[in-house]
Amino acid sequence: MEFLLPAIANVFTPMPFLMMLLGTTIGIVVGAIPGLSGGMVIALTLPLTFFMESTHALILMVSMYVGSTSGGLISATLMRMPGTPAALMTILDGFPMAKRGQPGRALGFGIMASFAGGMVSWLFLALLSPPLAEIAVRFGPYEIFSMTLVALMLISAVSAGSMIKGLLSGFLGILVSMVGVDPSSGALRLTFGVPDLETGFRLLPVILGMLVMSQVIGDIVNINQPIERVQTSFRSMFMSMNDLRRQWTNILRSSLIGTWIGILPGIGGTTAAIASYTTARNFSKTPEKFGTGTEDGIVAAETANNAAVNGALVPLITLGIPGSVIDVLLLGALIIHNLTPGPLLFQDSPEVAYGIIAGALVANVFMFIFMILGTPIIARLMYVSRAYLIPPIIVFCVIGAFAQGNRLFDVWIMLAFGVLGFLMMKAKIPTGPFVIGYILAPIAETQLRSGLMVYDSSFLPLLTRPVSAAFLVIAVLTLFWPFLMKRRKAPTAPAHLEDE
Amino acid sequence: MQENRSIPVMDVLIAVLLIAAGVASAMSARHLGKSVLEPIGPGAFPLAGSFLLIALSLLVIWRAVRVGTTKSNVDEFKPRPGMAVLALALTCAYFLVMQLEWLSFRWATVGYVTLLTAALFDWQPRKLPAAIVSGLIMGLGLTYAFTQVLYVDLPS
């Protein structure tokens, strides 16, 4: 409370408040436009934050994260296209309800559920983070290495489809991160005699190429993709007291599921929405109505995907373990601003750590107000032709790639990674694991080698130190988690989910 | 919907590319010396990463050949790979004119955004004014915003 209340008050001072307003608004709009995503806009925003105060930059990006996760609801309901992957399950009931002539009601339930999920999970973020960070601050290099290993195992969890392809993408990211000067010995690695590679592949060109440019190339290839629309009218966007009474158990259950799944490394909003939707269906007295436009389905999916946002921030700010690809970008933002991700953040820069927590709260409240008032306008923006959006996005990528090192070489690197990312997407190789490997591998390597220096070249403390050993066990379990889930999911998943 | 099985060519192509990258990295990392402070040295991580990359790429090829893929014959819409190639060519030209200092960021961006927007609209004459306005806003507006407001360096 000592830091939290002042941090919340700080969000209401002019600059942070402007950042929060801007971030949430841009996030919602981008989240609502199919083909654009929260990850894209956060990656594009990174270079603009160079000259901002760290707290302002993080508030901006966290607000974008909150906004984009919620904005996906609008296109999922009105266009049958999830603006963000986390809104995938919202389509199942949101679109049929909108098509039945109740788009306002479908959106109203989704917005209320998003808000409630965000608020419940924020409580966990605010209550769990400081004590967790206090424990984690005592960790040595081997504990941090094991923790980073857990985060690297995210690769298996975010590998939708083939795990082999996910690991392939992850190891490519690890290899790319090794190019340049070795931080421990100063030796040049994998530069192949190219002087421009001596500084390595910089963060922004690689991320902008892999996450944004690849998606843009995909959007150009699919520029003829037709969009299904429903007639929109936005009457009755508020839930009645009766609706709230009927939904409160669903909201609470879905919030807890979303928060818990968010806290687990790598299992982001999409999985949270699927798990919550399936649970709501299993608990329902009328499961046959799921998928036909029931309020229960919209509430379960939207509550959980928003709860997962704050849930994923818990390991990010306390342990430096990102919960999703967007969290990896936030981790990158901390590094760019010369902040140490993890428990030291609370000790060295409490204003940033608590700023993130406070920003998440205020952004969630603003998201609710903005979406209730602004959805009719955003619904029109969604239909803006992609031909108008693509060229400016590429120009922003150029500025972002150039800004970090003032070299056009980085702009070419961004384009090269964009083409590589597009080819990977065509081969159904996910790009998320690449980014995770690229950002986390140098941290893991540095900590392991520091540990070896501290413990006389012995690997044994990795297993004998309890926290390190516990994290190693979690890392192994995380690696095999998708297999276990696959085995458990098979008999319970509703048939119509497979079609989606 | 008619379905047939085929070898996923893109999987094989990417895997071959990554094997080449893995071999080159392994060869380069092999020559890195040992560190005096710890036993693994600067070459260990790149070497391990290279070998795992090669192994996983081989697995992808093996799966592609053994299992294949199910390909649907029905497309909901016609993809435009040619448009992507044109966009990439325009993008390369955009970078080149800045690299060779033929045009400043401002005018290169005006031209690039106008041309790319017009191309994405299939050169429809009625969309041309909007494309030009978009180009002017991006070129002139961004130059002003980034150099006068945000103080971010722009190419050339």
Side-chain angles (χ1 to χ4, degrees), chain A residues 398 408, chain B residues 94-101 103-105 108 155-156:
Chain A
V398 171
L408 267 165
Chain B
Y94 173 49
F95 295 173
L96 267 178
V97 295
M98 289 192 288
Q99 183 134 35
L100 299 172
E101 297 185 6
L103 285 174
S104 63
F105 172 82
S156 65

Side-chain angles (χ1 to χ4, degrees), chain A residues 48 165 189 221 406 412 449, chain B residues 11 38 42 80 99 153:
Chain A
L48 303 179
K165 288 181 174 177
R189 300 192 292 193
V221 173
N406 287 354
W412 289 103
R449 289 168 70 186
Chain B
D11 286 23
E38 35 82 16
R80 306 274 304 268
Q99 183 134 35
D153 285 323

Side-chain angles (χ1 to χ4, degrees), chain A residues 47-48 50-51 145 162-165 167-169 171-172 174-175 178 182 184-185 187-192 213 217 220-226 385-388 390-396 398-399 402-403 406 408-409 411-412 414-415 419-420 422-424 426-429 441 444-445 448-450 452-453 457-459, chain B residues 10-11 13-15 17-18 21-22 24-26 28-29 32 35 37-43 45-50 52-53 56-57 59-60 63 76-81 83-84 87-88 91-96 98-99 105 109 112-113 116-117 120-122 127 130-131 134 138 142 146 150-156:
Chain A
L48 303 179
F50 285 166
F51 304 98
F145 167 74
S162 163
M163 194 197 214
I164 293 171
K165 288 181 174 177
L167 290 171
L168 185 72
S169 174
F171 280 110
L172 182 63
I174 290 173
L175 213 54
M178 299 289 148
D182 167 37
S184 297
S185 66
L188 282 177
R189 300 192 292 193
L190 312 180
T191 57
F192 303 102
M213 201 63 201
I217 298 171
I220 295 172
V221 173
N222 299 331
I223 199 141
N224 287 352
Q225 188 173 12
S385 169
R386 268 180 282 181
Y388 286 122
I390 288 168
I393 291 173
I394 298 176
V395 174
F396 273 104
V398 171
I399 295 170
F402 183 82
N406 287 354
L408 267 165
F409 177 76
V411 178
W412 289 103
M414 181 270 297
L415 184 65
V419 173
L420 176 67
F422 171 71
L423 293 177
M424 283 167 64
K426 289 298 282 181
K428 295 193 170 62
I429 299 174
E445 187 191 15
L448 178 66
R449 289 168 70 186
S450 301
L452 286 168
M453 288 179 209
S457 303
S458 171
F459 287 97
Chain B
M10 191 57 83
D11 286 23
L13 187 77
I14 288 273
L17 268 174
L18 295 183
S25 303
S28 175
L32 289 165
S35 169
L37 299 168
E38 35 82 16
I40 63 172
F45 265 72
L47 210 54
S50 305
L52 284 165
L53 191 73
L56 287 164
S57 301
L59 255 176
V60 168
R63 275 177 63 126
E76 283 177 26
F77 59 94
K78 200 173 166 225
R80 306 274 304 268
M83 181 64 84
L88 283 176
T91 307
C92 288
Y94 173 49
F95 295 173
L96 267 178
M98 289 192 288
Q99 183 134 35
F105 172 82
T109 303
Y112 172 71
V113 172
L116 185 56
T117 308
L120 291 174
F121 276 121
D122 286 324
K127 297 284 183 188
S134 182
M138 290 305 293
L142 285 183
F146 280 97
L150 293 169
Y151 302 107
V152 173
D153 285 323
L154 294 174
S156 65

